[in-house]
C-alpha cells in the first residue's frame, strides 16, 4: 500500500497551535464492521435505516424499530474501535484541547479512550421513557422482551436523535463553540447530508479553521473543504494525528 502523503500546507496547519477538532460520522466505524446509513450495504432486513430513524416509524411499529436498535447495540458491542478511533484518542492525549464531535451513537470513540465526546445524535447505550422523559444508561446485552418498557409501564426508546427531533441544545452549543475555536477541523466518515451537523464545517471555516475532509467518496462538503483526503479514516487519521504530534504507530 502506498504511504499516505500530506501536503506541506496541511502539515503546517496540523503542527501549528490551536485546537484540532474532529467531526465524525458512520464511515469512521465502517472499518470496525458497522454499516453506514447511506450507500451500499446500508440496508437492514430489507428496510432503509434512514426510514427507521424517525419518531413516526417508532409510533407506527415500536417492535420493528427496537429490533433494528437491538441489532445495532449487539453489532456495536461486538465491534472494536479501529485505527481511526484510536488515532483520535491518541490525539486528545497529546493535545488535550482536541475535541471530538460525533454523529455516531455506537460508543466506539469512548471505548478507544477519548474521555469526553460531544455526541450530537445521542447514544445507543442510553434509554428514555416516552412517558416520563427521564433517561438512563442501559448496557444490557439483551433487552428482551422487545420493545422494552419502563417501570411505569410506558415504552422505553433509544436516547438517540431521530429526524425531526431537536438535538440537545447544550451539546449543539458546545459543538458550535468547539468548531469556532478550531484551528483545524477534520471531517471524517460523514456524507455531510444531515443537519444541523452538516453546518458545522461552514461555521468552523467562517471562524478561520482549516477544514480537512477524510472520506473515500465525494460528499456534499468536498467542494468547500480546504483539503480532501480520499482515504478510509483508519488509514488517514493515524497519519493526521501523528502530524499533529500524537505518538502513534502508522499501520502499514
Ligand atoms: C468512510 C468510510 C471509511 C465509508 N472511512 N469514510 C436544513 C436543511 C435541510 C434539512 C434539514 C435542515 N435542518 C433540519 C433538517 C431535517 C433533517 C435533515 O438534516 N435532513 C436531511 C437528510 C436533508 N435534520 C433533522 O431532522 C435533525 N433535527 C433537526 O434539525 O431538528 C430541528 C428541530 C428544532 C427544534 C424542535 C424540533 C426540531 C435531526 C437529525 C437526526 C439524524 N439522526 C440519525 C439517526 C441517529 C440515531 C442512529 O444512529 O440510529 O443520525 S439519521 C443518520 O444520519 C444518523 C447519522 O448520525 C446521520 C448522518 O449520517 P452519516 O454519519 O453522515 O452517515 P452516512 O451513511 O450518510 O455517510 C457515511 C459516509 O462515510 C459516506 O460519505 C461514506 O463515503 C463514508 N465512508 N466508509 C471514511 N472507511
Amino acid at each position: 500500500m502506498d504511504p499516505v502523503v500530506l501536503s506541506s500546507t496541511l502539515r503546517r496547519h496540523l503542527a501549528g497551535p490551536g485546537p484540532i477538532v474532529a467531526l465524525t460520522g458512520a464511515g469512521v466505524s465502517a472499518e470496525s464492521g458497522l454499516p453506514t446509513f447511506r450507500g451500499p450495504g446500508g440496508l437492514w432486513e430489507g428496510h432503509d435505516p434512514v426510514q427507521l430513524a424517525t419518531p413516526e416509524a417508532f409510533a407506527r411499529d415500536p417492535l420493528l424499530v427496537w429490533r433494528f436498535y437491538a441489532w445495532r447495540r449487539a453489532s456495536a458491542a461486538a465491534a472494536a474501535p479501529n485505527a481511526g478511533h484510536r488515532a483520535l484518542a491518541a490525539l486528545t492525549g497529546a493535545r488535550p484541547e482536541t475535541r471530538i464531535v460525533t454523529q455516531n451513537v455506537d460508543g466506539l470513540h469512548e471505548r478507544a479512550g477519548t474521555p469526553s465526546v460531544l455526541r450530537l445524535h445521542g447514544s445507543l447505550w442510553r434509554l428514555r421513557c416516552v412517558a416520563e422523559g427521564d433517561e438512563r444508561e442501559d448496557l444490557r446485552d439483551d433487552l428482551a422482551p422487545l420493545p422494552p418498557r419502563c417501570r411505569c409501564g410506558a415504552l422505553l426508546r433509544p436516547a438517540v436523535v431521530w429526524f425531526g427531533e431537536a438535538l440537545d441544545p447544550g451539546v449543539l452549543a458546545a459543538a458550535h463553540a468547539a468548531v469556532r475555536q478550531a484551528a483545524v477541523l477534520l471531517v471524517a466518515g460523514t456524507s455531510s447530508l444531515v443537519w444541523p451537523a452538516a453546518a458545522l464545517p461552514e461555521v468552523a471555516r467562517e471562524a478561520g479553521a482549516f477544514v480537512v475532509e477524510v472520506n473515500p467518496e465525494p460528499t456534499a462538503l468536498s467542494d468547500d473543504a480546504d483539503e480532501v483526503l480520499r482515504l478510509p479514516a483508519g488509514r488517514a487519521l493515524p497519519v493526521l494525528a501523528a502530524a499533529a504530534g500524537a505518538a502513534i504507530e502508522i499501520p502499514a
Side-chain angles (χ1 to χ4, degrees):
M1 221 180 316
D2 293 339
V4 177
V5 178
L6 306 182
S7 72
S8 56
T9 308
L10 178 50
R11 284 193 167 280
R12 197 178 62 248
H13 280 283
L14 289 166
I20 297 180
V21 176
L23 170 63
T24 66
V28 163
S29 294
E31 290 155 89
S32 295
L34 302 183
T36 59
F37 280 85
R38 298 163 186 87
L43 280 188
W44 172 75
E45 292 191 3
H47 298 278
D48 176 357
V50 171
Q51 302 298 325
L52 297 176
T54 68
E56 292 77 19
F58 189 68
R60 196 168 47 241
D61 193 343
L63 178 57
L64 175 71
V65 173
W66 256 117
R67 283 181 49 236
F68 172 58
Y69 279 95
W71 172 76
R72 298 268 307 279
R73 283 167 62 105
S75 309
N82 64 51
H85 299 108
R86 290 196 299 273
L88 292 178
L91 184 58
T92 57
R95 292 177 61 159
E97 76 280 19
T98 302
R99 294 309 309 266
I100 310 298
V101 181
T102 191
Q103 298 169 82
N104 298 344
V105 297
D106 53 35
L108 289 180
H109 284 303
E110 293 88 337
R111 282 173 54 201
T114 300
S116 156
V117 179
L118 289 169
R119 293 189 298 245
L120 293 172
H121 294 162
S123 168
L124 282 175
W125 308 107
R126 296 183 69 79
L127 306 185
R128 188 160 74 235
C129 171
V130 298
E132 297 167 330
D134 62 313
E135 216 180 278
R136 67 205 73 154
E137 187 176 58
D138 190 322
L139 305 175
R140 276 178 292 169
D141 286 342
D142 189 357
L143 292 173
L146 294 179
R149 289 189 178 271
C150 178
R151 277 185 296 273
C152 77
L155 284 173
L156 289 166
R157 59 162 280 181
V160 299
V161 183
W162 285 325
F163 284 114
E165 297 184 320
L167 280 65
D168 179 314
V171 174
L172 187 57
H176 273 259
V179 302
R180 265 194 236 106
Q181 285 160 18
V184 179
L185 179 70
L186 306 175
V187 185
T190 176
S191 55
S192 292
L193 289 173
V194 173
W195 297 77
L200 292 171
E202 186 54 29
V203 172
R205 266 200 101 200
E206 279 176 4
F210 190 78
V211 175
V212 184
E213 177 174 68
V214 176
N215 198 310
E217 303 295 333
T219 74
L221 173 68
S222 299
D223 287 347
D224 296 323
D226 294 299
E227 289 233 8
V228 175
L229 298 182
R230 285 268 166 265
L231 290 166
R235 284 205 69 212
L237 291 176
V239 178
L240 292 166
I248 201 162
E249 222 173 274
I250 309 298

